[in-house]
Amino acid sequence: MNQLPTTVRLQESNFYLEVCLDPFNKRIRADDYRGNIQEILTKLEKLVHEHSVEKLIIKGRTEDTFTFYEAGFQPEAVIDRYFLGTDAWFFTKFYTSKRKTTDHWMTEDGIIQNIYQLEPPGKRPLPPKEYILKKVSQSDAAKLSALYRQVFQIYPTPLNDPDYVKKTMEDGTIYYGFFHQGEIVSAASAEINSFYKNAELTDCATLTEHRKYGLMKLLLQELEKELKRDGIYCAYSIARSLSFGMNAALYQLGYKYRGRLMNNVYIYDKLENMNIWVKNLADC
């Protein structure tokens, strides 16, 4: 079975639906929809059973909130201004008891509480001059994949494959990285939705021995600058809920916590909960 996520666009007489079929993470995510909401939900339930998934996610609009509640969905998170200035709610439904169970929720609550007690970051010195920040091109796809192979045992998408990385670049994803002695030691990307003018800052990875210089914050700031130049002001990121460092970095860069997606993806070494952080770049 193909484990790569695939996007399917369904146009029927009474609705349009765009879904991501994600067999590796045993989930389906509805990224966009319009038309008859009841027929849309019926179609999604059919896809759930056809593909034997454990979790269904809908990026829902506020006006459909009560319909989602009535259909058995619960809101887990929100992205401010996702749909050209209006909010997107992550409504979810689980299809196995195991997928709806987590052992780390209270620990993750404590991480968020502790992060919100942090002092504003002081001005840090720039990393040593041998660290070179630049936009990553297709010619560096193999080096980028090598970084992700070293950092993650498991990752939701096959970034360990240079051909996949090249395809994401062709589809509009931009990557920035720090090069050290010719190799990429830290990287992050912005996955851009050009229609709705938003971007997910994602694929954040730094080799352990290079984590003392604050490279990730600098990469995210560089990505934000490029997004603003392109007129994209809704930026968000989805971070591992158990990662104090990554969540703290987003908070100190001005991102706001907007909820947690339970058992959302297989990442690092297991199925994990993921926090959503949102920033309005127009305020920067």
Side-chain angles (χ1 to χ4, degrees):
M1 181 177 66
N2 180 17
Q3 292 292 297
L4 294 178
T6 56
T7 296
V8 178
R9 295 172 178 84
L10 305 170
Q11 179 73 65
E12 300 195 11
S13 59
N14 291 335
F15 68 85
Y16 167 82
L17 178 61
E18 181 179 315
V19 295
C20 175
L21 305 176
D22 189 356
F24 179 77
N25 291 299
K26 301 178 182 178
R27 64 178 189 170
I28 288 175
R29 188 183 67 239
D31 288 325
D32 200 6
Y33 66 88
R34 60 179 177 269
N36 187 302
I37 189 66
Q38 295 296 343
E39 291 188 24
I40 288 167
L41 291 174
T42 297
K43 183 63 177 181
L44 286 170
E45 291 284 354
K46 183 178 179 181
L47 289 171
V48 164
H49 295 294
E50 285 178 357
H51 295 273
S52 301
V53 301
E54 299 174 348
K55 185 176 184 179
L56 173 60
I57 306 166
I58 301 176
K59 291 178 182 174
R61 291 165 171 79
T62 302
E63 58 267 27
D64 297 318
T65 294
F66 295 130
T67 301
F68 291 131
Y69 274 125
E70 291 168 353
F73 289 81
Q74 293 291 320
E76 289 194 306
V78 63
I79 297 177
D80 315 18
R81 303 176 180 85
Y82 179 94
F83 292 117
L84 285 173
T86 61
D87 300 344
W89 290 85
F90 282 66
F91 279 91
T92 63
K93 192 173 183 180
F94 295 85
Y95 294 87
T96 67
S97 296
K98 184 177 180 181
R99 188 76 179 230
K100 191 72 166 68
T101 303
T102 178
D103 296 328
H104 304 292
W105 199 265
M106 299 306 293
T107 299
E108 293 161 351
D109 279 348
I111 288 173
I112 293 298
Q113 291 172 8
N114 290 334
I115 284 171
Y116 267 83
Q117 303 305 313
L118 293 175
E119 296 292 330
K123 187 173 178 60
R124 295 189 59 160
L126 293 174
K129 61 182 180 180
E130 55 265 29
Y131 288 86
I132 301 171
L133 189 161
K134 64 179 182 178
K135 192 171 184 178
V136 180
S137 65
Q138 289 195 31
S139 63
D140 292 312
K143 293 180 179 180
L144 193 56
S145 292
L147 168 69
Y148 290 119
R149 274 197 301 274
Q150 291 179 76
V151 173
F152 298 108
Q153 294 175 251
I154 302 174
Y155 201 67
T157 55
L159 287 172
N160 58 350
D161 179 356
D163 289 335
Y164 179 81
V165 170
K166 290 178 182 178
K167 183 180 184 305
T168 66
M169 291 179 178
E170 291 168 359
D171 291 340
T173 297
I174 56 176
Y175 294 84
Y176 274 84
F178 270 101
F179 289 71
H180 182 265
Q181 296 180 352
E183 300 300 322
I184 301 176
V185 299
S186 183
S189 75
E191 187 176 319
I192 297 171
N193 184 323
S194 56
F195 183 82
Y196 285 117
K197 299 296 183 182
N198 63 62
E200 179 184 356
L201 274 61
T202 185
D203 305 329
C204 302
T206 304
L207 294 178
T208 304
E209 59 269 30
H210 299 275
R211 290 180 182 173
K212 56 187 174 182
Y213 299 116
L215 303 179
M216 188 52 61
K217 288 183 183 178
L218 296 172
L219 289 173
L220 294 177
Q221 289 172 330
E222 201 65 30
L223 286 166
E224 289 176 357
K225 291 176 186 176
E226 180 151 344
L227 293 174
K228 287 186 69 173
R229 287 195 294 268
D230 291 339
I232 295 171
Y233 304 110
C234 172
Y236 67 98
S237 190
I238 305 177
R240 293 175 53 239
S241 300
L242 287 171
S243 172
F244 182 91
M246 191 64 226
N247 287 281
L250 290 166
Y251 169 74
Q252 293 187 320
L253 283 171
Y255 287 76
K256 305 297 184 184
Y257 174 69
R258 289 295 185 261
R260 190 176 314 150
L261 304 173
M262 182 187 291
N263 290 332
N264 201 55
V265 291
Y266 288 91
I267 188 170
Y268 204 73
D269 60 0
K270 61 183 178 298
L271 186 64
E272 295 207 18
N273 304 331
M274 305 293 287
N275 290 335
I276 287 188
W277 295 85
V278 179
K279 185 176 183 179
N280 182 2
L281 300 181
D283 293 338
C284 301

